[in-house]
């Protein structure tokens, strides 16, 4: 179980210990089970799959950051409004989690100093924003669902996307344009997620409220999928860009699928340990394969971490 100790004034300090006393009716367990199917649907969205392969246009990445900016602005406005609400207060971690300022810096990097007069909230993101304001003002307990879905995802799979985007878009190694993914107030994502789950499980909620939170988390995934699909439609109107962050799915391998990093990762995930070792060695001889294999292994690890939340 994650345990707290006195910090240095910049946030909560915590020890990295395993959760060893979770119960089936704990909110973290209910959320993990209740969002499993929709989470898989989100990950299998074509936009997300293309992103993981390094096939992301810079204009779409910028528009994605804009959608996130408006989403987190709404979320963090409602969190501030409800920071003392008994059914949310234990999850109030502004120093560690809040993303509004980081996203503002990213947008300034992409759009320039006048970015606030350039960006607009898309219809898909606006649906998300409207729902966040609705629950924040009418049923604050449901903010738990939106915080869980966004922040825990950012600390898991979001770190994979950061590495892929940095290479695909040739962004500076110093982090400009990717500050959203950098949680400077968290020294261990694993330990912090354990603490966050522990805090969720300690909320005084009856069974009916827990069920409502789970359903709201499902809704949050649907809103995210709507934004993904919106970006995919915009992508159809853009001219193709040269995207050299990775090989084609089976390109540059002389027709041998065994050299494909995606195929190797899939075989490794299916339990063929000897095969996985053999394929990993083959793929790692190719510089681009090194990046892709690392991204897929990290993605698989991220999925496992999410389901264990």
């Amino acid at each position: 179980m994650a345990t707290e100790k006195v910090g240095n004034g910049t946030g909560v300090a915590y020890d990295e210990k395993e959760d060893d006393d979770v119960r089936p009716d704990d909110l973290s367990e209910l959320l993990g089970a209740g969002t499993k199917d929709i989470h898989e649907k989100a990950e299998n969205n074509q936009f997300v799959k293309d992103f993981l392969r390094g096939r992301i246009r810079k204009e779409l990445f910028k528009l994605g950051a804009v959608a996130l900016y408006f989403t987190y602005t709404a979320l963090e406005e409602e969190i501030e409004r409800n920071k003392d609400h008994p059914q949310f207060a234990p999850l109030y971690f502004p120093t560690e989690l809040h993303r509004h300022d980081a996203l503002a810096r990213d947008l300034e990097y992409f759009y320039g100093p006048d970015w606030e007069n350039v960006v607009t909230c898309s219809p898909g993101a606006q649906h998300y924003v409207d729902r966040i304001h609705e629950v924040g003002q009418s049923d604050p307990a449901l903010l738990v669902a939106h915080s869980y879905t966004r922040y825990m995802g950012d600390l898991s799979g979001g770190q994979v996307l950061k590495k892929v985007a940095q290479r695909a878009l040739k962004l500076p190694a110093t982090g400009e344009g990717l500050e959203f993914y950098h949680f400077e107030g968290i020294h261990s994502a694993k330990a912090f997620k354990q603490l966050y789950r522990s805090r969720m499980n300690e909320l005084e909620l009856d069974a009916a409220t827990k069920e409502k939170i789970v359903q709201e988390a499902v809704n949050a995934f649907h809103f995210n999928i709507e934004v993904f699909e919106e970006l995919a439609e915009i992508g159809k109107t853009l001219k193709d860009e040269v995207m050299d962050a990775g090989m084609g799915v089976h390109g540059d391998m002389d027709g041998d699928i065994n050299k494909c990093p995606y195929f190797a990762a899939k075989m490794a995930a299916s339990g063929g340990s000897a095969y996985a070792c053999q394929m990993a060695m083959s793929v790692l001889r190719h510089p681009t394969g090194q990046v892709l294999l690392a991204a897929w292994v990290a993605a698989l690890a991220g999925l496992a971490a999410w389901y264990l939340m």
Side-chain angles (χ1 to χ4, degrees):
M1 178 178 178
T3 58
E4 299 176 38
K5 59 185 180 182
V6 177
N8 59 7
T10 61
V12 176
Y14 35 86
D15 292 324
E16 192 166 325
K17 294 184 179 181
E18 296 295 330
D19 291 326
D20 53 8
D21 56 354
V22 294
R23 302 184 303 272
D25 62 343
D26 280 343
L27 182 57
S28 64
E29 295 298 293
L30 295 172
L31 280 165
T35 61
K36 184 176 184 292
D37 290 343
I38 189 64
H39 186 211
E40 290 178 353
K41 181 178 179 180
E43 288 166 344
N44 285 309
N45 178 275
Q46 191 60 47
F47 177 81
V48 176
K49 291 196 291 185
D50 286 344
F51 196 147
L52 282 170
R53 290 172 176 151
R55 298 189 59 81
I56 177 68
R57 294 175 173 88
K58 190 170 186 178
E59 186 61 28
L60 291 184
F61 185 79
K62 290 163 58 177
L63 291 174
V66 171
L68 288 171
Y69 171 78
F70 285 105
T71 299
Y72 278 96
T73 297
L75 179 58
E76 288 161 12
E77 284 177 359
E78 295 305 330
I79 286 174
E80 287 298 321
R81 184 197 310 273
N82 293 284
K83 63 183 179 182
D84 296 320
H85 192 284
Q87 292 180 319
F88 186 83
L91 301 179
Y92 182 63
F93 291 101
T95 301
E96 292 82 1
L97 293 178
H98 282 193
R99 300 287 85 202
H100 173 275
D101 292 347
L103 281 162
R105 291 191 294 271
D106 286 341
L107 294 183
E108 182 174 7
Y109 172 78
F110 286 124
Y111 291 99
D114 194 39
W115 66 270
E116 289 181 279
N117 295 319
V118 175
V119 303
T120 57
C121 189
S122 69
Q126 190 64 54
H127 294 157
Y128 202 172
V129 166
D130 290 345
R131 179 57 181 171
I132 290 170
H133 283 309
E134 181 183 355
V135 302
Q137 295 172 37
S138 64
D139 197 349
L142 299 187
L143 283 176
V144 174
H146 292 280
S147 296
Y148 163 85
T149 304
R150 285 293 349 155
Y151 293 122
M152 295 300 98
D154 298 334
L155 286 169
S156 300
Q159 299 309 300
V160 178
L161 298 180
K162 174 185 177 181
K163 295 176 183 177
V164 174
Q166 188 168 46
R167 178 173 175 82
L169 303 178
K170 298 181 173 60
L171 295 173
T174 47
E176 288 91 338
L178 293 167
E179 292 197 42
F180 165 70
Y181 298 102
H182 178 57
F183 291 79
E184 61 181 11
I186 296 177
H187 69 269
S188 167
K190 178 183 177 182
F192 184 84
K193 287 188 292 184
Q194 289 172 347
L195 170 62
Y196 198 89
R197 291 195 299 270
S198 177
R199 289 282 191 92
M200 283 200 307
N201 294 338
E202 292 169 2
L203 293 172
E204 294 187 8
L205 305 168
D206 58 29
T209 302
K210 289 180 181 180
E211 180 56 36
K212 287 173 60 179
I213 290 172
V214 172
Q215 184 54 53
E216 189 65 22
V218 172
N219 293 340
F221 273 103
H222 280 297
F223 285 122
N224 280 285
I225 291 171
E226 182 179 1
V227 172
F228 296 153
E229 292 175 347
E230 185 177 60
L231 290 170
E233 286 301 310
I234 294 172
K236 294 176 182 178
T237 70
L238 301 177
K239 293 182 179 179
D240 287 341
E241 299 173 3
V242 176
M243 294 172 283
D244 60 356
M247 298 175 284
V249 175
H250 300 306
D252 196 27
M253 284 171 266
D254 301 321
D256 184 0
I257 193 174
N258 289 326
K259 296 179 183 178
C260 172
Y262 310 115
F263 184 69
K266 181 177 180 181
M267 291 300 295
S270 68
S273 58
Y275 182 87
C277 292
Q278 177 184 356
M279 289 303 100
M281 292 300 295
S282 174
V283 171
L284 286 173
R285 294 191 186 99
H286 194 295
T288 311
Q290 296 169 8
V291 176
L292 289 172
L293 183 61
W296 274 97
V297 171
L300 291 170
L303 291 180
W306 182 284
Y307 293 137
L308 289 173
M309 287 198 308

mmCIF file of all heavy atoms in Angstrom, residues 54-79:
data_model
loop_
_atom_site.group_PDB
_atom_site.id
_atom_site.type_symbol
_atom_site.label_atom_id
_atom_site.label_comp_id
_atom_site.label_asym_id
_atom_site.label_seq_id
_atom_site.Cartn_x
_atom_site.Cartn_y
_atom_site.Cartn_z
ATOM 1 N N GLY A 54 4.389 6.140 -34.787
ATOM 2 C CA GLY A 54 5.162 7.302 -35.188
ATOM 3 C C GLY A 54 4.586 8.011 -36.388
ATOM 4 O O GLY A 54 5.204 8.937 -36.922
ATOM 5 N N ARG A 55 3.381 7.616 -36.813
ATOM 6 C CA ARG A 55 2.755 8.245 -37.970
ATOM 7 C C ARG A 55 1.787 9.332 -37.486
ATOM 8 O O ARG A 55 0.569 9.143 -37.466
ATOM 9 C CB ARG A 55 2.034 7.199 -38.823
ATOM 10 C CG ARG A 55 2.975 6.135 -39.390
ATOM 11 C CD ARG A 55 2.266 5.246 -40.390
ATOM 12 N NE ARG A 55 1.721 6.000 -41.505
ATOM 13 C CZ ARG A 55 2.427 6.415 -42.557
ATOM 14 N NH1 ARG A 55 3.733 6.179 -42.616
ATOM 15 N NH2 ARG A 55 1.843 7.084 -43.531
ATOM 16 N N ILE A 56 2.355 10.448 -37.074
ATOM 17 C CA ILE A 56 1.568 11.551 -36.552
ATOM 18 C C ILE A 56 1.982 12.844 -37.246
ATOM 19 O O ILE A 56 3.160 13.167 -37.297
ATOM 20 C CB ILE A 56 1.736 11.672 -35.009
ATOM 21 C CG1 ILE A 56 0.952 12.888 -34.465
ATOM 22 C CG2 ILE A 56 3.198 11.735 -34.601
ATOM 23 C CD1 ILE A 56 -0.540 12.741 -34.561
ATOM 24 N N ARG A 57 1.033 13.516 -37.841
ATOM 25 C CA ARG A 57 1.315 14.791 -38.483
ATOM 26 C C ARG A 57 1.447 15.875 -37.418
ATOM 27 O O ARG A 57 0.707 15.899 -36.437
ATOM 28 C CB ARG A 57 0.200 15.158 -39.466
ATOM 29 C CG ARG A 57 0.099 14.234 -40.662
ATOM 30 C CD ARG A 57 -1.111 14.622 -41.507
ATOM 31 N NE ARG A 57 -1.172 13.880 -42.755
ATOM 32 C CZ ARG A 57 -1.758 12.695 -42.898
ATOM 33 N NH1 ARG A 57 -2.306 12.122 -41.830
ATOM 34 N NH2 ARG A 57 -1.781 12.089 -44.070
ATOM 35 N N LYS A 58 2.352 16.797 -37.649
ATOM 36 C CA LYS A 58 2.581 17.852 -36.659
ATOM 37 C C LYS A 58 1.335 18.687 -36.436
ATOM 38 O O LYS A 58 1.021 19.076 -35.304
ATOM 39 C CB LYS A 58 3.742 18.749 -37.106
ATOM 40 C CG LYS A 58 4.194 19.728 -36.014
ATOM 41 C CD LYS A 58 5.479 20.429 -36.398
ATOM 42 C CE LYS A 58 6.000 21.275 -35.254
ATOM 43 N NZ LYS A 58 7.279 21.938 -35.590
ATOM 44 N N GLU A 59 0.588 18.975 -37.510
ATOM 45 C CA GLU A 59 -0.616 19.787 -37.364
ATOM 46 C C GLU A 59 -1.639 19.088 -36.487
ATOM 47 O O GLU A 59 -2.312 19.723 -35.661
ATOM 48 C CB GLU A 59 -1.224 20.091 -38.740
ATOM 49 C CG GLU A 59 -2.402 21.048 -38.687
ATOM 50 C CD GLU A 59 -2.045 22.409 -38.113
ATOM 51 O OE1 GLU A 59 -0.870 22.833 -38.240
ATOM 52 O OE2 GLU A 59 -2.934 23.041 -37.522
ATOM 53 N N LEU A 60 -1.767 17.769 -36.614
ATOM 54 C CA LEU A 60 -2.702 17.025 -35.772
ATOM 55 C C LEU A 60 -2.229 16.984 -34.321
ATOM 56 O O LEU A 60 -3.036 17.055 -33.396
ATOM 57 C CB LEU A 60 -2.889 15.610 -36.314
ATOM 58 C CG LEU A 60 -3.623 15.472 -37.647
ATOM 59 C CD1 LEU A 60 -3.817 14.001 -37.990
ATOM 60 C CD2 LEU A 60 -4.972 16.184 -37.613
ATOM 61 N N PHE A 61 -0.928 16.859 -34.134
ATOM 62 C CA PHE A 61 -0.390 16.862 -32.778
ATOM 63 C C PHE A 61 -0.684 18.202 -32.101
ATOM 64 O O PHE A 61 -1.075 18.255 -30.933
ATOM 65 C CB PHE A 61 1.111 16.604 -32.802
ATOM 66 C CG PHE A 61 1.725 16.466 -31.440
ATOM 67 C CD1 PHE A 61 1.616 15.284 -30.724
ATOM 68 C CD2 PHE A 61 2.398 17.530 -30.859
ATOM 69 C CE1 PHE A 61 2.171 15.165 -29.449
ATOM 70 C CE2 PHE A 61 2.965 17.424 -29.597
ATOM 71 C CZ PHE A 61 2.844 16.234 -28.895
ATOM 72 N N LYS A 62 -0.520 19.295 -32.850
ATOM 73 C CA LYS A 62 -0.811 20.628 -32.323
ATOM 74 C C LYS A 62 -2.294 20.758 -31.965
ATOM 75 O O LYS A 62 -2.651 21.282 -30.903
ATOM 76 C CB LYS A 62 -0.420 21.696 -33.343
ATOM 77 C CG LYS A 62 1.084 21.832 -33.534
ATOM 78 C CD LYS A 62 1.441 22.579 -34.815
ATOM 79 C CE LYS A 62 0.862 23.959 -34.900
ATOM 80 N NZ LYS A 62 1.296 24.672 -36.121
ATOM 81 N N LEU A 63 -3.170 20.275 -32.855
ATOM 82 C CA LEU A 63 -4.604 20.346 -32.584
ATOM 83 C C LEU A 63 -4.980 19.474 -31.388
ATOM 84 O O LEU A 63 -5.885 19.813 -30.618
ATOM 85 C CB LEU A 63 -5.394 19.929 -33.821
ATOM 86 C CG LEU A 63 -5.324 20.895 -35.010
ATOM 87 C CD1 LEU A 63 -6.027 20.292 -36.221
ATOM 88 C CD2 LEU A 63 -5.937 22.244 -34.648
ATOM 89 N N GLY A 64 -4.286 18.340 -31.227
ATOM 90 C CA GLY A 64 -4.513 17.502 -30.054
ATOM 91 C C GLY A 64 -4.141 18.234 -28.773
ATOM 92 O O GLY A 64 -4.843 18.139 -27.755
ATOM 93 N N ALA A 65 -3.044 18.987 -28.824
ATOM 94 C CA ALA A 65 -2.628 19.773 -27.661
ATOM 95 C C ALA A 65 -3.650 20.865 -27.349
ATOM 96 O O ALA A 65 -3.915 21.173 -26.177
ATOM 97 C CB ALA A 65 -1.248 20.384 -27.902
ATOM 98 N N VAL A 66 -4.237 21.438 -28.392
ATOM 99 C CA VAL A 66 -5.275 22.454 -28.190
ATOM 100 C C VAL A 66 -6.482 21.830 -27.484
ATOM 101 O O VAL A 66 -7.020 22.400 -26.526
ATOM 102 C CB VAL A 66 -5.710 23.071 -29.536
ATOM 103 C CG1 VAL A 66 -6.937 23.964 -29.342
ATOM 104 C CG2 VAL A 66 -4.567 23.873 -30.153
ATOM 105 N N ALA A 67 -6.917 20.658 -27.944
ATOM 106 C CA ALA A 67 -8.041 19.976 -27.309
ATOM 107 C C ALA A 67 -7.737 19.675 -25.843
ATOM 108 O O ALA A 67 -8.598 19.845 -24.962
ATOM 109 C CB ALA A 67 -8.370 18.695 -28.065
ATOM 110 N N LEU A 68 -6.518 19.235 -25.573
ATOM 111 C CA LEU A 68 -6.131 18.960 -24.193
ATOM 112 C C LEU A 68 -6.136 20.224 -23.350
ATOM 113 O O LEU A 68 -6.528 20.208 -22.177
ATOM 114 C CB LEU A 68 -4.742 18.313 -24.161
ATOM 115 C CG LEU A 68 -4.657 16.877 -24.656
ATOM 116 C CD1 LEU A 68 -3.198 16.443 -24.784
ATOM 117 C CD2 LEU A 68 -5.408 15.930 -23.725
ATOM 118 N N TYR A 69 -5.692 21.328 -23.940
ATOM 119 C CA TYR A 69 -5.655 22.594 -23.199
ATOM 120 C C TYR A 69 -7.054 22.976 -22.718
ATOM 121 O O TYR A 69 -7.252 23.307 -21.540
ATOM 122 C CB TYR A 69 -5.077 23.700 -24.075
ATOM 123 C CG TYR A 69 -5.203 25.070 -23.451
ATOM 124 C CD1 TYR A 69 -4.333 25.477 -22.441
ATOM 125 C CD2 TYR A 69 -6.219 25.942 -23.841
ATOM 126 C CE1 TYR A 69 -4.465 26.726 -21.847
ATOM 127 C CE2 TYR A 69 -6.350 27.194 -23.250
ATOM 128 C CZ TYR A 69 -5.481 27.585 -22.259
ATOM 129 O OH TYR A 69 -5.611 28.819 -21.666
ATOM 130 N N PHE A 70 -8.026 22.922 -23.605
ATOM 131 C CA PHE A 70 -9.378 23.294 -23.204
ATOM 132 C C PHE A 70 -9.968 22.281 -22.226
ATOM 133 O O PHE A 70 -10.689 22.645 -21.297
ATOM 134 C CB PHE A 70 -10.272 23.442 -24.438
ATOM 135 C CG PHE A 70 -10.012 24.706 -25.210
ATOM 136 C CD1 PHE A 70 -9.331 24.670 -26.415
ATOM 137 C CD2 PHE A 70 -10.422 25.931 -24.720
ATOM 138 C CE1 PHE A 70 -9.072 25.837 -27.126
ATOM 139 C CE2 PHE A 70 -10.176 27.107 -25.414
ATOM 140 C CZ PHE A 70 -9.500 27.061 -26.619
ATOM 141 N N THR A 71 -9.629 21.004 -22.414
ATOM 142 C CA THR A 71 -10.121 19.968 -21.501
ATOM 143 C C THR A 71 -9.569 20.161 -20.100
ATOM 144 O O THR A 71 -10.319 20.136 -19.104
ATOM 145 C CB THR A 71 -9.737 18.578 -22.025
ATOM 146 O OG1 THR A 71 -10.324 18.368 -23.311
ATOM 147 C CG2 THR A 71 -10.201 17.488 -21.074
ATOM 148 N N TYR A 72 -8.263 20.379 -20.004
ATOM 149 C CA TYR A 72 -7.654 20.527 -18.681
ATOM 150 C C TYR A 72 -7.994 21.864 -18.043
ATOM 151 O O TYR A 72 -8.054 21.963 -16.808
ATOM 152 C CB TYR A 72 -6.139 20.332 -18.766
ATOM 153 C CG TYR A 72 -5.767 18.873 -18.770
ATOM 154 C CD1 TYR A 72 -5.545 18.205 -19.958
ATOM 155 C CD2 TYR A 72 -5.672 18.159 -17.585
ATOM 156 C CE1 TYR A 72 -5.230 16.863 -19.980
ATOM 157 C CE2 TYR A 72 -5.354 16.819 -17.584
ATOM 158 C CZ TYR A 72 -5.131 16.171 -18.787
ATOM 159 O OH TYR A 72 -4.837 14.842 -18.786
ATOM 160 N N THR A 73 -8.216 22.882 -18.848
ATOM 161 C CA THR A 73 -8.659 24.157 -18.278
ATOM 162 C C THR A 73 -9.991 23.954 -17.562
ATOM 163 O O THR A 73 -10.174 24.399 -16.418
ATOM 164 C CB THR A 73 -8.808 25.219 -19.379
ATOM 165 O OG1 THR A 73 -7.533 25.465 -19.984
ATOM 166 C CG2 THR A 73 -9.333 26.529 -18.799
ATOM 167 N N ALA A 74 -10.920 23.269 -18.220
ATOM 168 C CA ALA A 74 -12.216 22.994 -17.600
ATOM 169 C C ALA A 74 -12.063 22.100 -16.375
ATOM 170 O O ALA A 74 -12.637 22.378 -15.307
ATOM 171 C CB ALA A 74 -13.147 22.330 -18.617
ATOM 172 N N LEU A 75 -11.293 21.023 -16.513
ATOM 173 C CA LEU A 75 -11.138 20.071 -15.412
ATOM 174 C C LEU A 75 -10.531 20.747 -14.188
ATOM 175 O O LEU A 75 -11.007 20.565 -13.054
ATOM 176 C CB LEU A 75 -10.262 18.896 -15.864
ATOM 177 C CG LEU A 75 -9.980 17.811 -14.832
ATOM 178 C CD1 LEU A 75 -11.276 17.210 -14.305
ATOM 179 C CD2 LEU A 75 -9.084 16.726 -15.429
ATOM 180 N N GLU A 76 -9.497 21.543 -14.407
ATOM 181 C CA GLU A 76 -8.815 22.138 -13.257
ATOM 182 C C GLU A 76 -9.581 23.322 -12.670
ATOM 183 O O GLU A 76 -9.449 23.614 -11.482
ATOM 184 C CB GLU A 76 -7.372 22.464 -13.651
ATOM 185 C CG GLU A 76 -6.585 21.167 -13.785
ATOM 186 C CD GLU A 76 -5.292 21.247 -14.580
ATOM 187 O OE1 GLU A 76 -4.825 22.374 -14.871
ATOM 188 O OE2 GLU A 76 -4.742 20.170 -14.919
ATOM 189 N N GLU A 77 -10.422 23.972 -13.476
ATOM 190 C CA GLU A 77 -11.338 24.967 -12.919
ATOM 191 C C GLU A 77 -12.317 24.300 -11.960
ATOM 192 O O GLU A 77 -12.581 24.818 -10.855
ATOM 193 C CB GLU A 77 -12.117 25.660 -14.037
ATOM 194 C CG GLU A 77 -11.320 26.698 -14.809
ATOM 195 C CD GLU A 77 -12.119 27.295 -15.956
ATOM 196 O OE1 GLU A 77 -13.294 26.886 -16.149
ATOM 197 O OE2 GLU A 77 -11.583 28.167 -16.662
ATOM 198 N N GLU A 78 -12.858 23.156 -12.360
ATOM 199 C CA GLU A 78 -13.831 22.462 -11.507
ATOM 200 C C GLU A 78 -13.153 21.814 -10.297
ATOM 201 O O GLU A 78 -13.743 21.730 -9.218
ATOM 202 C CB GLU A 78 -14.604 21.431 -12.319
ATOM 203 C CG GLU A 78 -15.483 22.031 -13.404
ATOM 204 C CD GLU A 78 -16.456 23.071 -12.886
ATOM 205 O OE1 GLU A 78 -16.896 22.972 -11.716
ATOM 206 O OE2 GLU A 78 -16.767 24.009 -13.646
ATOM 207 N N ILE A 79 -11.923 21.368 -10.481
ATOM 208 C CA ILE A 79 -11.184 20.829 -9.328
ATOM 209 C C ILE A 79 -10.957 21.918 -8.296
ATOM 210 O O ILE A 79 -11.128 21.695 -7.091
ATOM 211 C CB ILE A 79 -9.846 20.217 -9.801
ATOM 212 C CG1 ILE A 79 -10.109 18.883 -10.509
ATOM 213 C CG2 ILE A 79 -8.894 20.016 -8.614
ATOM 214 C CD1 ILE A 79 -8.871 18.269 -11.134
#
